[in-house]
Amino acid sequence: MKIAELNLPQALKDFYTGSGIPELYPPQAEAIRQGLLDGKNLLAAIPTASGKTLLAEMAMLKSIAEGGKAIYIVPLKALASEKYDRFLEFSKLPIKPDGVKVGIATGDFDSRDEYLGEKDIIVATSEKTDSLLRNGASWLSGLSVVVADEVHLIDSPNRGPTLEVTLAKLRKINVNLQILALSATIGNAKALAKWMDAALVQSEWRPTTLKEGVFYGRAITFKKEKRTVNNAGPDEVNSLVADTLEEGGQCLVFANTRKSSESIAQKVARSLSKKLQPAEKEQLAKLKQDVLRHAETDTCEKLAECVGNGVAFHHAGLKGEHRRIVEDGFRQNILKVIACTPTLAAGLNLPARRVIIRDYKRFDVNYGSVPIPVLEYKQMAGRAGRPRLDPYGEAVLIAKNYDEFGELMENYINADPEHITSKLGTEPAMRAHALSAVATDFCRSRQDLKAFMDTTFFAYQRGDLSHVIDNVLNFLLEENMIIESKGGSLKATDLGSLVSKLYIDPLSAALIAEGLEKAKKRPDVAEFGLLHLICSTPDVKSLYLRRGDYSWIIRYADEHASDFLSDVPDSYGDDVEFEQFLAGVKTAALAEMWINEKSEEAITTFFNIGPGDIRNLMETCTWLMHGTAEISALLGAPATRTARELAIRIENGASRELLDLITLKGVGRVRARKLYDAGYTSRDKLKAAEIPAIAAIPGIGDKLAVSIMSQLGRKVDHTPPETEEQPQVSGQSTLFSFDG
Ligand SMILES: Nc1ncnc2c1ncn2[C@@H]1O[C@H](COP(=O)(O)OP(=O)(O)OP(=O)(O)O)[C@@H](O)[C@H]1O
Ligand SMILES: [Mg+2]
């Protein structure tokens, strides 16, 4: 089917043809026949790289040309930026008088982001979309198309419920909404399609060949052929990498932990360094400098070292800047190999000729080491052989012995993907969704709520949710977050409505509210008490306890005995409860070090975590502390001011004395400290200073000095020299990092 024949705006057809896409792939053509361009709901459960994004683009842009508006929901941040960059290419498309406006929804979870109402396409994670609904963003009722990319995420215990409830809500408030769900091939696509009243496109067709196989005994056995690996040595990963690089391809290596992704990268870097050409080395040296520019810790140094040799690692413990450098370096074929955790598994278009899945098992707290599902294996494998980037792709698992070889062939290469199942039927999953449905007046009674939950995938698959809903409503009634009238109508209290908007788990909010009630009876509220309070809620993923931790944490807890705002369990009582308490103390201790300006290096070493972990954890803590301040204000507790200050300090990792300086744009904790130590201890003192004196402080420079002065309202007619580096204004970040 030719693009030129489609019922699409001419400008869009010209755009595709001009960019080398004159014809649809067969599954895309099938989607057109099933009514994609006639506003029909559609589920495309087709292989990786089969061009699902193009389906979304055509549906969205056709609708936008007719005055509509679209939201594109994704699971991961890396994918959100890839899609955002792609859709920006349509900005100048003359299908609307002022072009197509694209937005990406990041940022705080309690804002409505009304400016997004101006946009035609909004890219957002499912959590952000949910939070926009809770905060009553008006434009969400004016959507014409919703795209749920990687919709098999519904299967995820942590994140699936939010996605399915969000989809159900969007459908309820937009009667003529077209839903387009994009999924990998799954076992029960029919059921999912039926739930969405959608036509189904299913196919095994892939534009480029993806050969999947197992490496054992110096050769890769694919389904239909065998490939001998040239010069295979004792190290499997190194042999597989060298083999692909020799033929000019690039490699992705998937590992199950961050640590092993790092050691794989180091190992590959050592053997690759000898084979690089001088011109390649030169480019890599530049990239290494880019990494070092943002380096504060050992992990960053390690990354820089690997990058200098053409290899990188990539996981959620890396800083955002480093992740981008790595992704871009690989896209430009400067980096030859990335060793990563599954952060790069979903949806991304990367030029990987060969994907090596080094670990097919993953650690699970309840079950120990377990094999990953076929669906997940397929996601990783599917990064190889992307059309227009590679002529074909190979995905390779590694077997240690003949038995394992047989198992891997049977359980992955020749296996069908699993069915996906909804995880909405538990109280933790239901709590927040029930509260938000009531708080937004979306459901006004128990029956209403049950009727709405009846439209979810869970109800479709498993039936009745009444029991869970009743339990959750009883909890919310007890915690004074909702009230039920005699006539049976439900309403949120001020507390309930605040909690829903703040996007925190109602159980966390209940624990915080209880702690704040205790604070009312205290002469003062200790900072550590508040830190510990938020760190003991289910929203904060506590640090694990290691064997060597117990003695110092118990001592630490003793020293802070009078600070705690939550119940301190008896050390001779319930083991699990006591351990949870200690894990909360450990996490709070990290937060305390962070706000007392301990270096990232010191914290990562002491707690044995990555710099990105500190950021992720502190982002969540900032959010909860902000929530604590709001709840404290509502309850009239004496912690509002301290909590507000703490939220700013956690966000920036700064001591109390830096509060005045830290909120200046371009001034992080390191620069604020330098200004402070140079005698500029407040905004007033800075305002009275001379620009050259400020600029001369190491790390400040002309441009930032000028920017600070103009932020302070001083007139500046000082033009800084062109060569000066731009001040680093910290960007707005999203609240949660979802990647593993
Ligand atoms: N009809 C077409 N002709 C040529 N190239 C195409 C066509 N449709 C899509 N492509 C290209 O195929 C590539 C892969 O597409 P896309 O990322 O949409 O795959 P996907 O199906 O979403 O895969 P995944 O399941 O991995 O997310 C893109 O680079 C896209 O430009
Ligand atoms: Mg995709």
Side-chain angles (χ1 to χ4, degrees):
M1 194 181 282
K2 297 252 181 295
I3 295 264
E5 296 160 6
L6 300 177
N7 175 18
L8 283 174
Q10 190 57 43
L12 181 59
K13 294 198 269 193
D14 294 345
F15 174 91
Y16 284 132
T17 323
S19 64
I21 303 187
E23 195 151 354
L24 292 181
Y25 289 152
Q28 293 169 335
E30 178 58 24
I32 302 284
R33 284 191 287 272
Q34 297 272 2
L36 177 77
L37 300 181
D38 311 317
K40 294 257 174 66
N41 291 346
L42 190 88
L43 168 66
I46 54 182
T48 53
S50 58
K52 293 184 280 292
T53 320
L54 191 84
L55 297 178
E57 290 171 7
M58 293 191 293
M60 294 193 297
L61 292 163
K62 173 151 197 278
S63 171
I64 288 165
E66 291 159 4
K69 187 180 183 71
I71 190 162
Y72 191 102
I73 303 176
V74 289
L76 297 174
K77 278 199 242 177
L79 195 55
S81 13
E82 189 185 286
K83 294 304 167 205
Y84 175 67
D85 289 346
R86 164 66 182 172
F87 301 153
L88 279 179
E89 292 178 29
F90 301 116
S91 299
K92 298 226 167 70
L93 212 61
I95 57 170
K96 270 187 67 202
D98 45 355
V100 178
K101 298 203 204 75
V102 186
I104 181 163
T106 58
D108 292 341
F109 274 180
D110 65 349
S111 64
R112 294 180 183 196
D113 292 348
E114 287 294 349
Y115 76 94
L116 290 171
E118 305 278 300
K119 308 287 184 195
D120 302 303
I121 303 179
I122 295 112
V123 183
T125 58
S126 33
E127 286 73 11
K128 180 67 192 183
T129 313
D130 182 21
S131 87
L132 288 165
L133 278 163
R134 291 183 194 201
N135 283 283
S138 54
W139 53 269
L140 279 168
S141 54
L143 289 172
S144 55
V145 179
V146 55
V147 180
D149 196 2
E150 310 284 337
V151 75
H152 48 266
L153 181 78
I154 284 186
D155 196 58
S156 152
N158 300 331
R159 309 191 46 212
T162 300
L163 177 58
E164 64 170 293
V165 171
T166 301
L167 287 177
K169 273 191 182 172
L170 286 174
R171 286 183 74 186
K172 194 172 164 190
I173 58 177
N174 292 289
V175 184
N176 292 320
L177 188 69
Q178 178 182 21
I179 294 202
L180 178 55
L182 310 176
S183 156
T185 42
I186 49 172
N188 54 340
K190 259 194 193 143
L192 193 61
K194 214 155 175 219
W195 169 59
M196 289 187 300
D197 300 319
L200 174 64
V201 176
Q202 256 182 313
S203 151
E204 292 301 320
W205 187 90
R206 205 180 187 274
T208 47
T209 310
L210 176 65
K211 299 182 204 168
E212 299 173 57
V214 179
F215 180 56
Y216 176 63
R218 296 171 170 264
I220 309 168
T221 306
F222 296 113
K223 263 188 197 168
K224 294 188 190 140
E225 64 201 276
K226 230 175 172 168
R227 171 173 172 159
T228 310
V229 173
N230 291 330
N231 306 319
D235 186 283
E236 292 99 345
V237 171
N238 260 334
S239 309
L240 287 166
V241 166
D243 187 49
T244 297
L245 298 193
E246 247 165 52
E247 61 161 56
Q250 291 168 266
C251 281
L252 273 183
V253 187
F254 283 100
N256 59 2
T257 67
R258 298 175 189 183
K259 266 228 155 68
S260 41
S261 74
E262 291 177 15
S263 49
I264 292 170
Q266 286 180 304
K267 190 175 62 183
V268 175
R270 275 193 294 275
S271 65
L272 185 61
S273 72
K274 300 164 218 148
K275 299 178 191 158
L276 294 166
Q277 303 299 319
E280 290 174 319
K281 282 200 167 159
E282 209 172 293
Q283 274 184 318
L284 289 166
K286 276 196 203 130
L287 209 59
K288 179 177 173 179
Q289 285 311 314
D290 287 349
V291 173
L292 286 172
R293 207 162 295 145
H294 305 280
E296 247 192 74
T297 63
D298 272 357
T299 311
C300 310
E301 303 274 338
K302 208 191 271 181
L303 179 65
E305 221 29 65
C306 290
V307 164
N309 292 318
V311 185
F313 50 87
H314 188 292
H315 55 58
L318 286 191
K319 293 185 191 188
E321 295 91 340
H322 284 153
R323 288 209 218 178
R324 264 185 301 280
I325 294 174
V326 171
E327 290 161 27
D328 293 347
F330 192 73
R331 284 204 164 101
Q332 293 160 18
N333 192 14
I334 302 174
L335 289 171
K336 308 294 174 197
V337 183
I338 303 181
C340 54
T341 58
T343 45
L344 292 183
L348 293 176
N349 249 332
L350 294 167
R353 176 79 51 87
R354 182 175 281 172
V355 161
I356 301 161
I357 295 139
R358 212 243 359 211
D359 303 318
Y360 67 93
K361 287 190 176 164
R362 193 182 36 212
F363 185 77
D364 179 289
V365 224
N366 298 315
Y367 304 104
S369 178
V370 288
I372 56 169
V374 179
L375 194 60
E376 237 170 85
Y377 154 77
K378 292 269 180 206
Q379 291 297 304
M380 296 188 221
R383 290 324 100 208
R386 307 293 291 190
R388 296 142 80 87
L389 297 177
D390 271 298
Y392 65 92
E394 292 173 343
V396 186
L397 286 153
I398 300 171
K400 300 247 162 356
N401 52 50
Y402 189 71
D403 283 349
E404 193 175 32
F405 168 76
E407 279 166 28
L408 291 176
M409 287 304 283
E410 186 181 332
N411 298 340
Y412 290 106
I413 312 301
N414 296 317
D416 292 325
E418 296 82 2
H419 286 220
I420 61 168
T421 54
S422 165
K423 305 296 190 296
L424 183 64
T426 64
E427 287 178 34
M430 184 59 84
R431 251 181 337 238
H433 295 298
L435 176 61
S436 93
V438 175
T440 50
D441 280 341
F442 194 73
C443 298
R444 293 165 197 255
S445 68
R446 223 170 255 259
Q447 289 67 28
D448 242 11
L449 185 62
K450 287 179 181 169
F452 168 62
M453 290 298 173
D454 252 354
T455 67
T456 59
F457 188 50
F458 187 94
Y460 178 85
Q461 274 191 312
R462 307 271 195 86
D464 198 22
L465 273 161
S466 285
H467 185 61
V468 188
I469 294 174
D470 284 332
N471 285 349
V472 163
L473 286 179
N474 290 344
F475 166 81
L476 295 171
L477 285 164
E478 253 165 50
E479 295 299 337
N480 191 29
M481 294 192 202
I482 55 171
I483 37 179
E484 190 168 26
S485 73
K486 286 222 172 73
S489 73
L490 290 172
K491 241 187 140 29
T493 60
D494 288 347
L495 177 64
S497 160
L498 177 64
V499 170
S500 163
K501 285 185 179 159
L502 286 170
Y503 208 79
I504 53 186
D505 182 342
L507 178 57
S508 300
L511 293 167
I512 291 171
E514 201 180 305
L516 290 170
E517 288 299 339
K518 266 193 195 149
K520 284 185 183 171
K521 300 181 194 114
R522 301 266 175 93
D524 55 15
V525 182
E527 283 174 3
F528 189 79
L530 285 173
L531 290 177
H532 176 264
L533 184 61
I534 60 165
C535 290
S536 51
T537 64
D539 272 316
V540 174
K541 209 168 145 238
S542 291
L543 298 169
Y544 293 113
L545 293 176
R546 292 172 209 273
R547 212 173 304 149
D549 282 340
Y550 287 83
S551 58
W552 78 260
I553 299 177
I554 292 175
R555 205 174 341 110
Y556 206 77
D558 275 345
E559 283 165 21
H560 288 283
S562 58
D563 295 346
F564 292 112
L565 293 168
S566 60
D567 292 332
V568 177
D570 184 353
S571 56
Y572 300 105
D574 183 338
D575 279 353
V576 177
E577 204 184 336
F578 190 61
E579 295 224 338
Q580 273 173 358
F581 166 75
L582 293 181
V585 174
K586 180 176 178 183
T587 315
L590 185 155
E592 197 181 38
M593 273 171 91
W594 172 245
I595 61 170
N596 286 325
E597 292 177 60
K598 291 282 178 301
S599 70
E600 279 192 0
E601 172 71 48
I603 299 176
T604 51
T605 313
F606 187 79
F607 290 96
N608 199 9
I609 55 174
D613 295 318
I614 306 183
R615 299 288 162 105
N616 293 340
L617 193 58
M618 291 305 108
E619 254 183 43
T620 315
C621 286
T622 302
W623 190 253
L624 281 169
M625 196 52 92
H626 163 71
T628 304
E630 298 296 309
I631 297 172
S632 170
L634 182 77
L635 300 180
T640 313
R641 201 186 141 150
T642 315
R644 285 218 170 108
E645 284 180 4
L646 277 174
I648 300 173
R649 289 179 55 197
I650 302 172
E651 187 178 5
N652 295 287
S655 310
R656 193 155 185 273
E657 62 194 24
L658 299 185
L659 270 173
D660 204 21
L661 303 176
I662 199 82
T663 38
L664 286 165
K665 267 197 199 149
V667 178
R669 66 186 200 146
V670 176
R671 290 185 173 125
R673 173 52 59 200
K674 286 189 174 148
L675 289 169
Y676 191 93
D677 289 348
Y680 303 103
T681 53
S682 67
R683 286 178 169 230
D684 285 344
K685 285 198 178 152
L686 262 180
K687 200 172 171 184
E690 294 304 323
I691 292 184
I694 305 288
I697 298 171
I700 304 291
D702 268 313
K703 274 203 174 162
L704 182 57
V706 169
S707 147
I708 291 175
M709 286 310 182
S710 57
Q711 288 179 59
L712 294 172
R714 250 192 40 190
K715 268 199 133 165
V716 223
D717 53 354
H718 179 93
T719 324
E722 280 301 313
T723 51
E724 193 66 34
E725 204 182 303
Q726 285 286 342
Q728 278 177 13
V729 180
S730 60
Q732 203 187 15
S733 58
T734 47
L735 175 55
F736 296 131
S737 178
F738 300 107
D739 330 16

